[in-house]
Amino acid sequence: METTTSNDFFKSNVLGHPAGLFVLFFTEMWERFSFYGMRVLLINFLTMAIVSDNPGWGWSAENAGALYGTYAMLLYITPIFGGILADRYIGYRWAVVIGSIIMTLGHASMAIETEFSLYFGLGLLVLGTGFFKPNMTSILSEMYKDHPEKKDGAYTIFYMGVNAGAFFGMMLCGYLAESVGWAWGFGLAGVFMLFGTLQFWLAKPLFGRIGEVPSKADRIAAEEAAKTSSKDEDKRNPFTMVDKILIVITTIVGLLYAFNDPLSKIGNINMFPFKVNGIDGQNVVVLGALILFLILVVSRIARYTKVVRDRMIAVIVFAFFTVFFWMSFEQGASSLVLFARDSVDRSLEGSSLTIFNIVNTLLTIVPLVIITYVLAMLAKQTWAKIPGANIVLAVCFLGVWGVAVWMLYQYFTAESSEITVSWFSILNSFFIIAFASSISKIWDSKYNPSAAVKYGLGLIVMAIGFGLLAFGSHGLVEGVKVSMVWLVLAYLFHTLGELFLSPVGLSYVSKLVPGRMIAFMFGMWYLAIAIGNKLAAILGGQIENITKEYSLSTFFLIFTVVPIAAGLVVMALNPVLKKLMHGVR
């Protein structure tokens, strides 16, 4: 039997890291390719007119937002259960493979483009993500457990894989879907998800026992270690029967709400067919569930000693403001797609088309060359051990190069052209790659601000992007479109806001929360992100109604004023939060 340990990985070297890291890099890259490739299409496809050159389903933005919001919300809930299953029963590697296969089937189902296949496909994607999402990073963490000094660099490389996949997925799936047909875009996402699964599976010899099914002895040892590391105050605060009942009730009600929202709007099936003072039944019920959840959190926190209690309150405050950030930032998946399609002048000709072609070619070819070079280095190190995985990766990249060159050829040979709606979505990934290292250097310098200031700056900087859209669309009348410069600038500020805020949250959960409550508080953190995503889709779905009643500028002002207000409040709370954190930085 092979007994590879984490130390054995460092016998192979690609850019100063073990070859196994780059297997994970490419696996995550293809998963993000498929995820973002589908994500950038969904709202556009659902709301595209039935009678058009590339017909969609003609849904209202409100109905499309309801469906997408539930999908996005569930994506942050199922990984909690997938992580538990992998930890205790099936191991990280099998969880990744199972998740990948389920997601591949989900993309294939969506490519059929029937109503049932779309819903079934989205359900499979949610289920598959639950297995996949938490366990890739678990494998990475296990690989580097004996080399903590290299972990930051490894996560940076891994994160580049995430953004490279998102970048090419949105660019190529989006172009195929909008230029050839929706099924081609959905199908391409599935094809590369399948390739990612194959290359990961064929690379098994590199991993040895890392990520395998935990043995009974391993599980017992892990449980004993957890008990030993628990602090005295943790042991005195077990989950009571009331705690467990509240967790079950709030979970069930939250899931019922998630499903009822699209069911009631799209299928006229309402599980809560009543109103209270004019408020829809589903909103009354979910507010009640949130109150019960708040009672649960407060009652548990109250049982801890003062220092632990204060730190957990700080986490809850950060989680609350996280909702406001994602509620606004995730407009990129809904209202900004519709804005780019219907209100942005995407037509180019002459010198403007030439400039775009040069920029687009550099954006496409330079990253592809760099990643292909990494692929060649990986193959050189691992060909003897995992030839099958290398062949699959080579086929993948031949496919990506083929689609990319074909796309560029179409742009270059056209006398005039219209930029695809999905092209603008790649700007977030591009700006992350361009500015992430610079922002991280600020955090490593003497100018590193406190967590509350980072949160406030993240919210305010992101809001500036929406403020630019509000200004650019001010006075816009039907039939007139705004310059694409406004949308490019908006994505720039949204990305800078993300870089200020996004990396802060989870690190503070791990620093501030005691051992026994980490799983619960991580779950609560992801719940805050899930709520933010759902609210983003609900509010984004109102773009047509608000524009009709008021103006498009008014719609964007909502996401300007609210995050700025939230940012100023959290920055004002900085002294209080510092006190609550009791020295944790």
Side-chain angles (χ1 to χ4, degrees), residues 495-561:
T495 304
L496 292 174
E498 180 187 10
L499 290 171
F500 272 76
L501 182 144
S502 187
V504 176
L506 290 176
S507 67
Y508 275 94
V509 175
S510 62
K511 291 176 183 177
L512 294 168
V513 176
R516 183 173 174 81
M517 283 288 284
I518 280 182
F520 178 77
M521 295 300 279
F522 267 124
M524 194 188 80
W525 191 268
Y526 282 119
L527 176 63
I529 298 175
I531 292 170
N533 274 263
K534 181 62 178 175
L535 287 174
I538 291 173
L539 292 172
Q542 294 298 314
I543 185 171
E544 293 173 346
N545 299 331
I546 293 174
T547 300
K548 185 177 180 180
E549 187 72 21
Y550 301 99
S551 68
L552 187 58
S553 184
T554 301
F555 174 80
F556 288 126
L557 276 175
I558 295 171
F559 301 103
T560 305
V561 174

Side-chain angles (χ1 to χ4, degrees), residues 230-280:
S230 294
K231 297 179 181 179
D232 291 338
E233 64 261 30
D234 303 331
K235 295 178 182 178
R236 291 200 302 267
N237 191 11
F239 281 89
T240 66
M241 182 57 66
V242 173
D243 291 341
K244 294 174 182 176
I245 290 171
L246 288 175
I247 289 172
V248 170
I249 290 174
T250 53
T251 301
I252 291 173
V253 172
L255 290 173
L256 287 175
Y257 165 78
F259 286 109
N260 187 72
D261 188 38
L263 279 173
S264 60
K265 289 183 172 70
I266 300 164
N268 293 318
I269 301 171
N270 194 349
M271 291 180 277
F272 308 105
F274 60 88
K275 290 190 175 184
V276 177
N277 295 327
I279 302 174
D280 288 342

Side-chain angles (χ1 to χ4, degrees), residues 67-287:
L67 179 64
Y68 175 77
T70 290
Y71 163 72
M73 182 179 183
L74 294 175
L75 286 177
Y76 285 94
I77 295 174
T78 53
I80 298 170
F81 303 103
I84 293 170
L85 284 172
D87 280 337
R88 298 186 179 181
Y89 304 110
I90 61 176
Y92 304 136
R93 291 218 313 254
W94 268 111
V96 168
V97 171
I98 291 169
S100 297
I101 292 171
I102 294 173
M103 285 188 285
T104 299
L105 295 173
H107 288 297
S109 181
M110 292 186 71
I112 299 172
E113 289 188 38
T114 67
E115 194 164 358
F116 171 78
S117 69
L118 180 87
Y119 298 145
F120 185 63
L122 288 174
L124 289 177
L125 291 175
V126 167
L127 184 62
T129 299
F131 282 97
F132 187 98
K133 191 178 181 70
N135 294 306
M136 284 295 290
T137 51
S138 297
I139 295 173
L140 183 58
S141 181
E142 189 174 344
M143 281 172 55
Y144 281 82
K145 65 183 179 182
D146 297 327
H147 299 272
E149 74 283 357
K150 286 183 169 284
K151 188 175 283 189
D152 285 349
Y155 273 100
T156 299
I157 292 171
F158 184 76
Y159 193 53
M160 289 301 104
V162 170
N163 284 287
F167 181 90
F168 287 114
M170 289 186 286
M171 174 184 280
L172 301 181
C173 291
Y175 186 83
L176 268 182
E178 293 180 50
S179 302
V180 182
W182 301 106
W184 288 86
F186 289 129
L188 187 68
V191 166
F192 284 104
M193 187 71 251
L194 176 62
F195 280 138
T197 307
L198 283 174
Q199 74 95 24
F200 179 76
W201 178 256
L202 293 171
K204 282 194 302 179
L206 280 183
F207 293 92
R209 288 193 51 79
I210 287 180
E212 280 195 349
V213 181
S215 66
K216 184 177 180 180
D218 290 337
R219 290 199 298 269
I220 292 172
E223 289 170 4
E224 289 300 321
K227 289 177 183 177
T228 302
S229 63
S230 294
K231 297 179 181 179
D232 291 338
E233 64 261 30
D234 303 331
K235 295 178 182 178
R236 291 200 302 267
N237 191 11
F239 281 89
T240 66
M241 182 57 66
V242 173
D243 291 341
K244 294 174 182 176
I245 290 171
L246 288 175
I247 289 172
V248 170
I249 290 174
T250 53
T251 301
I252 291 173
V253 172
L255 290 173
L256 287 175
Y257 165 78
F259 286 109
N260 187 72
D261 188 38
L263 279 173
S264 60
K265 289 183 172 70
I266 300 164
N268 293 318
I269 301 171
N270 194 349
M271 291 180 277
F272 308 105
F274 60 88
K275 290 190 175 184
V276 177
N277 295 327
I279 302 174
D280 288 342
Q282 69 169 12
N283 296 329
V284 173
V285 170
V286 79
L287 284 172

Side-chain angles (χ1 to χ4, degrees), residues 311 443 445-451 454 504 507-508 511-512 574 578 581-585:
R311 287 174 175 172
W443 302 158
S445 72
K446 63 180 180 180
Y447 301 107
N448 183 23
S450 65
K454 287 178 184 175
V504 176
S507 67
Y508 275 94
K511 291 176 183 177
L512 294 168
N574 186 39
K578 276 187 175 180
M581 291 163 71
H582 291 279
V584 173
R585 289 185 56 83

Side-chain angles (χ1 to χ4, degrees), residues 443-520:
W443 302 158
D444 291 334
S445 72
K446 63 180 180 180
Y447 301 107
N448 183 23
S450 65
V453 173
K454 287 178 184 175
Y455 252 70
L457 289 174
L459 284 159
I460 292 169
V461 169
M462 178 198 61
I464 291 172
F466 284 106
L468 291 170
L469 291 176
F471 179 79
S473 60
H474 180 68
L476 197 67
V477 296
E478 190 173 350
V480 177
K481 297 187 176 183
V482 303
S483 168
M484 66 180 72
V485 171
W486 297 111
L487 191 53
V488 172
L489 288 173
Y491 272 112
L492 170 61
F493 281 95
H494 293 176
T495 304
L496 292 174
E498 180 187 10
L499 290 171
F500 272 76
L501 182 144
S502 187
V504 176
L506 290 176
S507 67
Y508 275 94
V509 175
S510 62
K511 291 176 183 177
L512 294 168
V513 176
R516 183 173 174 81
M517 283 288 284
I518 280 182
F520 178 77

Side-chain angles (χ1 to χ4, degrees), residues 378-453:
L378 176 64
K380 183 178 179 180
Q381 286 284 336
T382 62
W383 183 263
K385 201 167 189 178
I386 52 168
N390 284 296
I391 290 170
V392 170
L393 278 175
V395 172
C396 283
F397 273 88
L398 285 173
V400 170
W401 272 101
V403 177
V405 170
W406 174 75
M407 175 193 73
L408 294 173
Y409 174 78
Q410 298 301 316
Y411 276 124
F412 269 105
T413 55
E415 292 183 6
S416 63
S417 186
E418 187 173 68
I419 301 174
T420 58
V421 173
S422 53
W423 185 86
F424 293 95
S425 297
I426 73 171
L427 295 172
N428 176 239
S429 294
F430 169 71
F431 287 139
I432 284 177
I433 294 169
F435 293 106
S437 61
S438 300
I439 298 295
S440 66
K441 286 177 182 176
I442 296 174
W443 302 158
D444 291 334
S445 72
K446 63 180 180 180
Y447 301 107
N448 183 23
S450 65
V453 173

